[in-house]
Amino acid sequence: MTTKGYVGSYTKKEGKGIYIFELNEDNGEIQSVDTGYDIEASTYLAQTEQFLYAITKENEACGVAAFKKDENGQLTLINKCLASENGTGCYISVSSDHNFLFEAVYTAGIARIYQLNPETGEVVKLIEELEHSYPTGTHERQDHNHIHFIRETPDHKYVAVTDLGADKIVTYTFGVEGFKEHAVSKFHAEDGPRHIEFHNNGTYAYVVHELSNRVSVVQYHDGKFEEIERHLTIPEDFTGETKLAAVRLSHDQQNLYISNRGHDSIAIFTVVDDGKGINPIEIVKSGGEFPRDFNITESDEYLVCAHQEGNYALTVFRRDTNSGMLIATDNQYTAPEGVFVDFLNSLL
C-alpha cells in the first residue's frame, strides 16, 4: 500500500516550499519525494478533505495561500491573501466548520483569523490581527510575546493560543468579528509553551514546552487548562543545547511522541487512564539533525520525521502498535529545510 504525504519547508537555503512524498507501507520505505508546489516560506500546512492551506509571503507581504487538491495530492493554487506586513506565521489551522483559518505569528506575537469560503476553498479576507501584550517571562527568549500555536478546542467553542513568551495559553471565542478573550491559563516560569495535542476524549491534552523541554498533561474544561503532571522529554543527564518541537498522539490514543531538536530524538510515552497520565518508555534517535516535525500514518504503523538542518533527512520508523516503540526503516530521501509533515486527506 502506498501512502502520500506533504512536507512544508523553509525557503531560506535549499527548500522549495511544499513537497509531496510517497511511502510504501509494505516495507516502510519512501519511494519518491517531489516538489508539490514551489512557494516561499510554507512552514506550516493545514488540510480539509478538498483543500490545503499554506503559510507564505512575497517580499514584505505576509499571509496564507489556498490550494485545491486532486485525488493524487497534486495542488492547484486558488488564491493568496497577503494582508499583513507584520511577519510570517509559524502555525495554521482550520475551524471545524471550514469557515475560518487561524494563523500564529511567533516573532510578532500575533494571532490572525481569516474568513474562508468552504465551498471554493478561497481565503476571502483577513478578519483580525490580534497582538498579545501579556507580561513576559524571565528567559532570554521571552523578551516579547511569542504566539506559537492556534487551534480550535475539542468543544468547538474556542481557539487555544500558546504564548511562549508569557508562559500562557489564552483561549478566545471567534467569528466574523474576530477574537474575544475567554480565559488565560498560566504555566511554570520559563516553560515556553509551544504546541498542544488534544486527546480524542476532549478532556485531556498534552502541552509541550520548548524552553523547559517538558510536557504537561492537562485537564481541559470550558477554555481552561489545569496541569495534572509533567515529564522531561530528554535524558536527565543531557547537558547539551536542545529544545523540543513537535507532539503527536497515535491514532489509537495509546502513545504520545515528542521530538527534541539538539538531542535529535523522539521521546515516546504510553498514555494511561484514558488520557489522564503518561509514562515515559523510551527516547530514540530521530536519524537526522534538528527533527522539527513528524507525523503518524492513518494505519498507525509508520512515523515519518522531517529534519530542518544537516542533510535534511526524511526518516521513517515502523511503529509497534502494541508497545508504541519505534524501529528505523528508511533514511534515503531528503526534504530540504523540512519543518512540517502530514499525510494526504489526514485532517489536522
Side-chain angles (χ1 to χ4, degrees):
M1 180 178 70
T2 298
T3 299
K4 294 188 177 182
Y6 297 107
V7 175
S9 77
Y10 279 111
T11 52
K12 299 176 181 179
K13 301 174 184 177
E14 302 172 54
K16 296 297 184 183
I18 303 172
Y19 297 96
I20 297 178
F21 67 89
E22 292 190 359
L23 171 67
N24 185 332
E25 289 204 50
D26 294 327
N27 59 17
E29 294 182 357
I30 290 178
Q31 296 177 321
S32 64
V33 179
D34 300 301
T35 301
Y37 205 94
D38 194 335
I39 184 170
E40 187 173 354
S42 57
T43 55
Y44 213 89
L45 313 176
Q47 292 187 71
T48 66
E49 292 91 339
Q50 294 179 286
F51 307 114
L52 181 142
Y53 300 93
I55 292 167
T56 192
K57 64 177 293 188
E58 291 180 6
N59 299 317
E60 298 303 315
C62 305
V64 293
F67 297 88
K68 172 73 174 179
K69 299 186 296 185
D70 69 15
E71 64 275 10
N72 295 312
Q74 299 300 313
L75 303 173
T76 301
L77 181 67
I78 299 171
N79 78 318
K80 296 179 182 179
C81 182
L82 303 173
S84 176
E85 293 187 354
N86 291 322
T88 53
C90 62
Y91 189 99
I92 55 173
S93 62
V94 179
S95 63
S96 56
D97 60 10
H98 300 173
N99 288 323
F100 302 100
L101 177 71
F102 311 108
E103 181 182 20
V105 183
Y106 174 83
T107 303
I110 286 171
R112 297 181 182 133
I113 180 172
Y114 301 83
Q115 182 181 348
L116 299 180
N117 183 325
E119 301 299 323
T120 66
E122 176 187 6
V123 184
V124 178
K125 65 178 181 179
L126 173 64
I127 296 174
E128 184 182 9
E129 185 174 69
L130 174 71
E131 183 176 1
H132 271 196
S133 58
Y134 297 99
T136 55
T138 55
H139 191 279
E140 62 182 1
R141 288 186 53 207
Q142 293 180 312
D143 58 330
H144 193 276
N145 291 113
H146 292 301
I147 294 178
H148 217 311
F149 171 98
I150 179 168
R151 186 173 176 180
E152 189 176 355
T153 53
D155 50 22
H156 308 304
K157 295 168 63 176
Y158 315 104
V159 287
V161 175
T162 63
D163 190 328
L164 180 147
D167 295 317
K168 293 178 173 66
I169 296 176
V170 185
T171 50
Y172 296 92
T173 56
F174 61 91
V176 294
E177 296 182 354
F179 298 113
K180 182 179 179 181
E181 184 184 301
H182 171 72
V184 178
S185 303
K186 184 162 179 60
F187 289 85
H188 294 242
E190 301 191 358
D191 259 349
R194 177 183 172 92
H195 282 186
I196 308 169
E197 181 80 327
F198 289 95
H199 193 279
N200 280 352
N201 62 22
T203 300
Y204 302 107
Y206 313 95
V207 181
V208 291
H209 304 293
E210 181 171 332
L211 302 181
S212 65
N213 295 297
R214 282 174 168 81
V215 54
S216 295
V217 179
V218 299
Q219 185 165 1
Y220 170 79
H221 176 69
D222 193 33
K224 300 179 180 66
F225 297 83
E226 181 180 356
E227 185 178 75
I228 300 171
E229 61 183 44
R230 56 198 276 122
H231 299 267
L232 196 63
T233 66
I234 54 174
E236 292 186 5
D237 59 355
F238 182 74
T239 58
E241 183 177 347
T242 189
K243 50 190 175 181
L244 59 71
V247 56
R248 307 279 187 185
L249 267 171
S250 55
H251 300 286
D252 61 16
Q253 307 289 283
Q254 298 303 305
N255 295 102
L256 186 75
Y257 300 87
I258 300 167
S259 62
N260 298 299
R261 299 167 291 170
H263 189 254
D264 296 340
S265 62
I266 299 174
I268 308 170
F269 297 83
T270 298
V271 178
V272 297
D273 296 336
D274 197 27
K276 189 177 182 179
I278 58 174
N279 294 327
I281 56 174
E282 189 180 28
I283 301 174
V284 300
K285 286 298 182 180
S286 64
E289 186 176 337
F290 223 65
R292 178 66 176 263
D293 195 25
F294 60 90
N295 219 319
I296 302 166
T297 59
E298 290 292 333
S299 68
D300 259 342
E301 294 183 354
Y302 289 98
L303 181 150
V304 176
C305 182
H307 294 84
Q308 182 183 332
E309 304 292 347
N311 67 353
Y312 308 127
L314 197 59
T315 55
V316 183
F317 294 83
R318 184 187 300 276
R319 174 177 176 264
D320 185 315
T321 55
N322 293 314
S323 68
M325 304 288 277
L326 300 176
I327 301 172
T329 61
D330 194 18
N331 64 354
Q332 62 181 316
Y333 280 93
T334 63
E337 299 186 80
V339 294
F340 170 87
V341 181
D342 194 29
F343 297 96
L344 179 62
N345 292 331
S346 175
L347 290 177
L348 296 180

